[in-house]
Amino acid sequence: MAVLLLAEVNDGELALDATAKAVTAAKSLGDVTALCVGATAAAAAEAAAKIDGVAKVLCAEDASLGHRLAEATAALIVSLAGDYEHIVAPATTDAKNILPRVAALLDVMVLTDVSGVVDGSTFERPIYAGNAIQTVKSADATKVISFRTSTFDAAGSQDAAPVENISATDNPGLSEWVEDKVAESDRPELTSAGVVVSGGRGIGSEENFAMIEKLADKLGAAVGASRAAVDSGFAPNDWQVGQTGKVVAPDLYIAVGISGAIQHLAGMKDSKVIVAINKDEEAPIFQVADFGLVADLFDAVPELTEKL
Amino acid sequence: MKVLVPVKRVIDYNVKVRVKADGSGVDLANVKMSMNPFDEIAVEEAIRLKEAGKADEIIAVSIGVKQSQETLRTALAMGTDRAILVIAADDVHTDIEPLAVAKILAKIVEEEQPGLVLCGKQAIDNDMNATGQMVSALLGWSQATFASKLEIDGDHANVTREVDGGLQTIKVKMPAIVTVDLRLNEPRYASLPNIMKAKKKPMDEKTAADYGVDCAPRLEVVKTSEPAERAAGIKVGSVDELVAKLKEVGAV
């Protein structure tokens, strides 16, 4: 059975880690054809061809497919759908935008944020902010699935698979791009970083977040934040770790001034080693932390930054 | 312009979720239920559009069990003008899938002809994040998901979206579906006088069959289980001890 995998392409560049993780999840379902779309996508297609498990790459370059707009990309996927039993993607904001539209156009349900593959029609996915895991069996002919990247390892590399160029479908012309405000950063991407340092409401202000960033830079880490910190305006929303933000599973997660609300824990509890620094020894974060330090973060974080 | 706002009755976000012992689902009997938090943000945005003179009528819709009328009363108390309750299930444990919800909403859109549908980006029970995109697909309308800013300007809207890596602004043709993210606004609380007034606002009662939509699920729930528990670790007494432990396990 064949699988069509929508690769994550941003401004012509392949998001290798997210795509390779989705390939790992998709491989067990059948031969994987990766689809790279964008205003430019050739370089991304070449990179996707080298992900172990990709049998073929389809590359569609057209202005209408640029800038993450859902309508044109969904129309293209639907035009290809007849050849595939599974249409999958890593669960990025782009895929979350596009795949439910594809599913509705095919009159099938979508399976979002899938964390486990049982068989070709049975999948596990977290519900209630990760407080329960549901196993569901799809009765639809085509299964449209986004994979939660934090639960799959990235596929390795291989000799390049063939790349075929295809054309875009007619642009429905429903929406157009105005601008992107991308946070400029030399730090690793939050969902693929090996180390994440996150701050919560306890940090107290946007200025104080510099302390978290300093520790992160010392460790080559990505910076995260709890929803409470984001809601308080201390940190931007794309730093948010949790059910309503990003789900991460790094080798090391350092939670600073984070109490550990259920919704935050859902976004980081699969991390390999968790460190919590909080002055409240009753904070729920300590129940999931491998190493807990009850201390004033304004003393402990600079000291930790210095001693690491 | 009419604005349609779908709202879902879900377990209150402060309630600890318990998986039923037989693995058939999450226990929803006798637990506090509330409006899905993202839908509250959508209701608030619709009311602000009306206050700004950009909308003249707001219709709240809920699809589910009869008890969803409480959620609609909340929407009416916040400031929506009228409500449509679509009864599609008898058991509070029955979750109507986004595809069926989207089909019913598309029929209501055909009847009511709103210029804008404002939805929450996802419901906090099934965490699907799909209904808005599906309604948009079925209607062939433009879609703007995960909105943190919305500006209506005549025949189009400028929407700033929360995407991986930052923010994106797009311009969508009206009519449009916009799904809302956390930072769009802070929803108001309904005042007591408004709660009283809401009791007199009109609420139509329909069934899924009235719209000719089959709500039979496409996904069969095989089982529902508790996530793996993570064992608590140890407390360290100092930063030095923490650094030593991290080195010991090879984490730094």
Side-chain angles (χ1 to χ4, degrees):
Chain A
M1 283 299 158
V3 183
L4 182 67
L5 183 145
L6 176 65
E8 176 78 0
V9 180
N10 297 321
D11 290 332
E13 203 178 310
L14 182 75
L16 180 64
D17 186 72
T19 305
K21 284 173 172 169
V23 170
T24 297
K27 268 195 284 195
S28 62
L29 301 170
D31 283 342
V32 177
T33 298
L35 171 66
C36 293
V37 306
T40 57
E46 265 177 49
K50 292 183 190 141
I51 299 173
D52 183 25
V54 171
K56 185 180 163 185
V57 178
L58 298 177
C59 174
E61 286 190 328
D62 191 89
S64 68
L65 298 170
H67 302 303
R68 312 166 184 259
L69 300 175
E71 298 92 343
T73 303
L76 174 66
I77 294 173
V78 169
S79 76
L80 300 169
D83 296 335
Y84 303 95
E85 189 181 343
H86 297 88
I87 296 172
V88 307
T92 58
T93 50
D94 285 0
K96 287 175 178 174
N97 190 27
I98 294 163
L99 289 188
R101 189 172 180 99
V102 170
L105 291 171
L106 296 173
D107 191 26
V108 301
M109 254 303 283
V110 66
L111 292 131
T112 55
D113 259 332
V114 164
S115 56
V117 177
V118 178
D119 61 41
S121 55
T122 315
F123 303 92
E124 292 171 354
R125 56 184 301 275
I127 55 172
Y128 290 93
N131 287 300
I133 308 295
Q134 200 167 60
T135 307
V136 290
K137 190 173 164 61
S138 169
D140 286 320
T142 309
K143 286 86 179 168
V144 179
I145 303 163
S146 64
F147 289 113
R148 173 169 281 207
T149 49
S150 64
T151 49
F152 299 96
D153 293 327
S157 56
Q158 65 175 14
D159 291 338
V163 177
E164 183 188 323
N165 290 312
I166 57 168
S167 16
T169 41
D170 286 342
N171 180 9
L174 293 165
S175 54
E176 57 189 271
W177 172 79
V178 177
E179 65 167 345
D180 285 337
K181 278 196 185 139
V182 179
E184 288 294 333
S185 169
D186 295 332
R187 296 193 188 103
E189 210 270 315
L190 188 53
T191 51
S192 57
V195 183
V196 174
V197 182
S198 285
R201 203 192 331 247
I203 303 298
S205 73
E206 194 179 350
E207 292 72 41
N208 290 348
F209 243 83
M211 185 171 60
I212 298 297
E213 294 177 57
K214 218 167 160 182
L215 175 57
D217 290 342
K218 185 80 182 269
L219 290 164
V223 179
S226 70
R227 177 171 163 183
V230 171
D231 282 349
S232 308
F234 303 166
N237 197 36
D238 58 310
W239 287 5
Q240 192 192 143
V241 172
Q243 183 64 16
T244 50
K246 295 200 172 66
V247 178
V248 301
D251 296 329
L252 175 62
Y253 187 89
I254 303 180
V256 182
I258 292 176
S259 63
I262 291 168
Q263 93 95 19
H264 185 75
L265 300 183
M268 46 63 82
K269 67 178 167 51
D270 293 328
S271 306
K272 290 200 179 71
V273 176
I274 297 174
V275 171
I277 301 172
N278 201 303
K279 67 178 176 202
D280 174 12
E281 63 178 310
E282 301 296 322
I285 190 78
F286 287 122
Q287 290 165 20
V288 300
D290 298 286
F291 305 116
L293 176 62
V294 179
D296 187 330
L297 64 94
F298 296 100
D299 299 328
V301 173
E303 190 184 343
L304 183 62
T305 309
E306 192 195 307
K307 288 181 173 165
L308 275 170
Chain B
M1 180 179 72
K2 272 192 209 175
V3 181
L4 191 76
V5 188
V7 296
K8 186 174 186 182
R9 177 180 187 264
V10 298
I11 194 165
D12 187 90
Y13 77 101
N14 282 316
V15 173
K16 172 109 177 80
V17 169
R18 282 189 309 122
V19 174
K20 287 199 276 186
D22 65 0
S24 64
V26 163
D27 193 0
L28 297 177
N30 306 313
V31 296
K32 186 182 177 204
M33 304 294 280
S34 297
M35 189 190 300
N36 177 40
F38 290 104
D39 300 348
E40 279 188 330
I41 295 169
V43 171
E44 174 66 33
E45 194 66 15
I47 297 166
R48 290 187 191 186
L49 285 173
K50 192 179 172 190
E51 287 167 349
K54 305 254 180 187
D56 38 49
E57 189 185 25
I58 308 165
I59 309 159
V61 183
S62 195
I63 298 160
V65 291
K66 196 173 173 64
Q67 291 89 324
S68 299
Q69 61 180 278
E70 295 157 19
T71 314
L72 287 170
R73 287 291 167 209
T74 305
L76 292 167
M78 285 173 74
T80 62
D81 298 294
R82 60 188 170 95
I84 303 171
L85 171 67
V86 182
I87 296 174
D90 301 322
D91 183 347
V92 293
H93 293 95
T94 307
D95 189 35
I96 310 299
E97 287 177 352
L99 182 63
V101 169
K103 286 179 179 179
I104 294 171
L105 289 173
K107 295 276 186 190
I108 295 174
V109 166
E110 280 166 23
E111 273 179 23
E112 298 285 350
Q113 299 285 317
L116 174 70
V117 179
L118 269 173
C119 323
K121 74 161 180 178
Q122 75 189 67
I124 62 164
D125 51 3
N126 63 31
D127 287 328
M128 275 287 183
N129 189 337
T131 302
Q133 296 91 316
M134 286 184 148
V135 176
S136 175
L138 296 175
L139 293 167
W141 284 15
S142 55
Q143 77 181 45
T145 50
F146 325 142
S148 62
K149 192 175 173 196
L150 168 65
E151 285 169 345
I152 312 270
D153 188 3
D155 64 351
H156 68 270
N158 283 307
V159 185
T160 301
R161 309 175 52 230
E162 303 265 2
V163 295
D164 291 337
L167 298 172
Q168 177 190 51
T169 303
I170 59 172
K171 182 174 163 181
V172 295
K173 259 190 197 158
M174 301 293 276
I177 310 278
V178 176
T179 81
V180 308
D181 214 324
L182 285 176
R183 289 198 297 179
L184 183 64
N185 61 47
E186 251 180 66
R188 69 194 66 191
Y189 290 101
S191 66
L192 191 58
N194 284 344
I195 291 170
M196 301 310 289
K197 264 190 253 171
K199 290 182 179 164
K200 295 201 179 88
K201 286 185 179 175
M203 188 186 304
D204 279 351
E205 199 176 301
K206 303 273 193 178
T207 65
D210 292 339
Y211 297 100
V213 173
D214 177 8
C215 292
R218 305 292 185 87
L219 305 178
E220 177 203 342
V221 177
V222 180
K223 67 169 183 203
T224 306
S225 51
E226 300 265 5
E229 286 270 331
R230 196 184 171 102
I234 56 160
K235 291 249 172 71
V236 292
S238 67
V239 170
D240 287 324
E241 196 185 336
L242 175 60
V243 172
K245 288 284 180 196
L246 287 175
K247 285 186 174 152
E248 202 179 300
V249 298
V252 289

